[in-house]
Amino acid sequence: MRHAKAVVLGAVLGTLLLAGPARPQARWQADMRIQSVTVVESRAPAADRTGGRLTATVVVHSANDDDAQNPTLIVLLPVGVRYMTSSAGCVASVTSSTTQATATCRLTTMAVGATRTVSVTTTVPPSGFPKKFGAFVWSLTPDPDPANNYGEGTAP
């Protein structure tokens, strides 16, 4: 009996030695990034009192090894504008002063390599205010490079 135990123990140890050291479980990672923020200004006809429109188009990309779970995009609107429209899944949030607003967009799970495009349209800010949009994206899946999660775009 003792000999049989020694043979089994030797087989187990031999298997462990040949298998090498135990490797830790890889961590789930999805590199969400703002690929671009493009802003286009369109002037309104003279009869339209809005003064024109700004449309920001934000391109979000998912990379790395795993799908991005429940990604969220926040688009920071220029100071002094009025939110008009946005892509499906986006809602506007205006502060109590109504001078600063955001659009929050809940994106569906993004597979590795997937790209999504979101548009937000506002009025043109008053004279002297920058026509700059910011965009920030993240997901529930850990991001190995959060430095590329923010981007900006300004109308020419």
Side-chain angles (χ1 to χ4, degrees):
M1 187 69 150
R2 184 179 239 179
H3 177 59
K5 287 182 182 178
V7 169
V8 170
L9 182 61
V12 169
L13 288 174
T15 302
L16 291 174
L17 290 173
L18 290 175
R23 294 186 184 102
Q25 176 66 27
R27 207 176 105 171
W28 287 64
Q29 295 182 340
D31 184 17
M32 296 299 299
R33 66 179 66 150
I34 298 294
Q35 194 165 322
S36 65
V37 180
T38 307
V39 182
V40 175
E41 180 176 4
S42 57
R43 285 284 171 201
D48 184 349
R49 295 179 183 232
T50 63
R53 295 186 168 128
L54 291 178
T55 300
T57 303
V58 180
V59 179
V60 176
H61 183 73
S62 174
N64 213 326
D65 298 335
D66 301 300
D67 294 351
Q69 301 297 318
N70 297 326
T72 300
L73 170 69
I74 293 184
V75 180
L76 308 169
L77 309 182
V79 174
V81 300
R82 191 172 37 112
Y83 170 85
M84 296 176 82
T85 63
S86 58
S87 298
C90 300
V91 294
S93 171
V94 181
T95 62
S96 59
S97 68
T98 69
T99 60
Q100 183 62 50
T102 61
T104 301
C105 307
R106 305 277 183 216
L107 308 174
T108 57
T109 297
M110 292 178 65
V112 176
T115 300
R116 296 268 166 72
T117 302
V118 173
S119 294
V120 177
T121 301
T122 68
T123 58
V124 175
S127 179
F129 285 88
K131 300 171 186 174
K132 181 186 287 187
F133 287 79
F136 183 74
V137 68
W138 74 91
S139 77
L140 294 179
T141 310
D143 192 327
D145 183 15
N148 58 13
N149 291 33
Y150 179 79
E152 294 180 341
T154 304

